[in-house]
Amino acid sequence: MDVKTFRDLHHDRAPGDPLILPGPWDAASARAFAGAGFPALATPSAGIAESLGYEDGATPADEMFAAVTRIVRAVTDYGIPVSADLESGYGLPPRELVDRALSAGAVGVNLEDSNPSGLADPHEHAARLAEIRTAAGDALFVNARVDTYVRGVPDLDETVRRARLYVEAGADAVYPILAPEDALPTLYSSIPAPVNALSVANGPNPAELGRLGVARVTFGPGLLRRVMGVAREIAKELR
């Protein structure tokens, strides 16, 4: 499946029917999700970090790209696309970042507007996204993560402002991670691009998120942690 088909999956979604993108953290989990019939996958950087023994945000770029490559290779026979969470881009120049994502086989990238120091300047981040769009052309789907809520700036107006800047810069979708449920209708109506929401335990299910205007649902490291919960129970039984 090419990037155009992946891009099309985000549009004209019926209410309550968002694009659900499970997050594989390795080749085995990728095959499990692909075998279940999902049309695409989206890797979680935090999930890959945990699977490799790193703290979230501490995975070296080479290891992240290698993990994405293995995941893409694992589902080649299923013919489904994989989008890669590349955090804030590892400080790579736009051309190199695009080339490495494409070399790994990804059809999309998730890029966040924060770093260890906090939120990035939105205009500077928008300029970087524009450079990435120029380097990629139509070859990559760019999902721009907005980190206001996750960074302790729960300002809906600021979230919308950043999201609109990123769409103007060429982002295909925006991801206001951890935006509260009651903010989603405003985000949907204010942003001229598909909105990605994070599905969390005890939160709205994917269908409910879709009815709030969400076009795409991802899970971060949540699926890995559910699997690890089962693994811990098995370990207790064996012990």
Side-chain angles (χ1 to χ4, degrees):
M1 186 182 292
D2 61 20
V3 66
K4 180 183 183 303
T5 304
F6 181 67
R7 189 173 278 116
D8 289 346
L9 286 171
H10 293 75
H11 295 277
D12 301 319
R13 308 296 309 187
D17 182 33
L19 176 61
I20 298 174
L21 296 177
W25 53 92
D26 61 10
S29 59
R31 289 196 188 101
F33 295 136
F38 288 98
L41 304 175
T43 68
S45 61
I48 289 176
E50 288 186 27
S51 75
L52 295 176
Y54 292 103
E55 295 294 322
D56 184 19
T59 308
D62 287 349
E63 293 200 42
M64 184 62 75
F65 284 110
V68 172
T69 300
R70 289 191 294 271
I71 288 168
V72 171
R73 185 172 61 238
V75 300
T76 297
D77 290 345
Y78 292 90
I80 64 172
V82 176
S83 181
D85 183 348
L86 299 181
E87 303 179 291
S88 58
Y90 308 109
L92 297 173
R95 178 76 263 173
E96 183 178 352
L97 179 66
V98 167
D99 287 346
R100 296 193 70 173
L102 293 174
S103 294
V107 301
V109 292
N110 190 85
L111 296 168
E112 58 200 49
D113 66 347
S114 65
N115 51 54
S117 300
L119 282 170
D121 177 273
H123 294 281
E124 292 179 1
H125 188 67
R128 178 169 167 77
L129 290 175
E131 291 183 55
I132 290 167
R133 170 53 68 211
T134 297
D138 290 332
L140 282 177
F141 183 100
V142 177
N143 189 37
R145 200 177 95 174
V146 184
D147 280 5
T148 45
Y149 287 96
V150 77
R151 288 290 182 169
V153 185
D155 185 321
L156 181 55
D157 289 340
E158 176 63 10
T159 303
V160 169
R161 183 175 79 93
R162 285 173 174 263
R164 291 179 69 91
L165 281 171
Y166 303 159
V167 173
E168 290 169 6
D172 294 281
V174 294
Y175 181 16
I177 186 171
L178 293 184
E181 180 180 350
D182 59 5
L184 293 176
T186 298
L187 292 168
Y188 165 70
S189 63
S190 303
I191 299 169
V195 174
N196 184 166
L198 178 70
S199 178
V200 297
N202 302 317
N205 63 39
E208 291 168 336
L209 290 171
R211 287 191 285 273
L212 293 169
V214 168
R216 162 174 164 159
V217 176
T218 50
F219 301 85
L223 301 179
L224 166 63
R225 290 172 184 171
R226 288 176 63 181
V227 169
M228 292 309 300
V230 174
R232 282 190 288 271
E233 291 302 315
I234 293 172
K236 289 179 183 177
E237 292 176 11
L238 295 175
R239 183 64 175 166

